[in-house]
Amino acid sequence: MSPRHAPSKSIGRSVLALAAALAFGGGTLQAQDVNPLVGSWLGTLDVGAATLRLNLSVDSADDGLSATLLSVDQGNQAIPVESIALDGDAVTFSSPAIGASYEGILNADRSAIEGTFTQMGQPLPLTFERTEGSAEAPTRPQDPEEPLPYHVEDVAFDNPDGGHRLAGTFTRPEGAGPHPAAVLISGSGPQDRNEALMGHRPFLVLADHLTRAGIAVLRFDDRGVGESTGDFATATS
């Protein structure tokens, strides 16, 4: 019965060569395949009277890149990003729903993007810095907390002439109606149903106060915002 053959030196050298290729060549190729824009970025927008933090999260997609933009100080309100791209060091993304776009330059060590955020034709400087995870929204003690002493229902209603659907929240006092009712309509600018702005949600607070006082309240996302469809630029009160 012959003893088992030990691996030859040539096989051992081949294994070492393969390991080296995976450690150096393969690792380099893998790193090159990862788009340097992928990750989480945090920037602070100076709007004059206040500042507004924006959290840009970029992921790889089958056709390039996808992104999510959160307005941290507006309760982490999600802002839809239609397109995002990296061309050399040039970074661009757009959000037609709020009439906004961004153009910036990714720095040499891939730790920051310096550029300009433009909304409704108004340019503002905005620098994103790479960060781990997402920033936490500030706590607001005036925001109502569950359990709530009234009924809350997500609703949607169609505009057959305009061809779009508005989505919102309907709050109704407990007990048999009929109840007096109020519809909350936002002012200038695209707003969600809570009219989230600078970390505050005044429509949420108003709806809570009115419903506790026996008044049914409907509040809804403006066209093209949140779960509502349509084009905000063509909307009127």
Side-chain angles (χ1 to χ4, degrees), residues 22-182:
L22 291 173
F24 295 99
T28 301
L29 288 173
Q30 185 178 10
Q32 289 175 349
D33 288 341
V34 177
N35 192 300
L37 207 57
V38 170
S40 183
W41 305 82
L42 184 65
T44 301
L45 198 62
D46 187 346
V47 294
T51 57
L52 190 66
R53 290 176 295 167
L54 296 177
N55 196 163
L56 178 67
S57 179
V58 184
D59 293 310
S60 295
D62 293 337
D63 55 350
L65 295 171
S66 65
T68 302
L69 187 64
L70 298 177
S71 182
V72 178
D73 297 310
Q74 293 178 305
N76 271 330
Q77 176 187 347
I79 302 172
V81 176
E82 182 176 280
S83 62
I84 183 168
L86 175 65
D87 185 4
D89 292 330
V91 179
T92 57
F93 68 78
S94 65
S95 177
I98 62 169
S101 62
Y102 181 79
E103 295 182 358
I105 298 296
L106 185 64
N107 68 358
D109 64 2
R110 306 303 195 243
S111 64
I113 310 166
E114 186 173 343
T116 301
F117 182 88
T118 302
Q119 184 175 21
M120 302 300 182
Q122 180 180 2
L124 295 170
L126 177 59
T127 297
F128 285 101
E129 295 183 353
R130 191 180 291 278
T131 183
E132 295 294 333
S134 57
E136 293 185 1
T139 57
R140 301 296 181 190
Q142 69 269 32
D143 284 0
E145 296 183 0
E146 296 182 347
L148 300 172
Y150 49 80
H151 298 282
V152 181
E153 181 183 359
D154 288 331
V155 297
F157 45 100
D158 295 314
N159 180 340
D161 294 331
H164 58 269
R165 165 171 286 201
L166 298 178
T169 300
F170 180 66
T171 54
R172 174 175 55 83
E174 292 184 344
H179 302 287

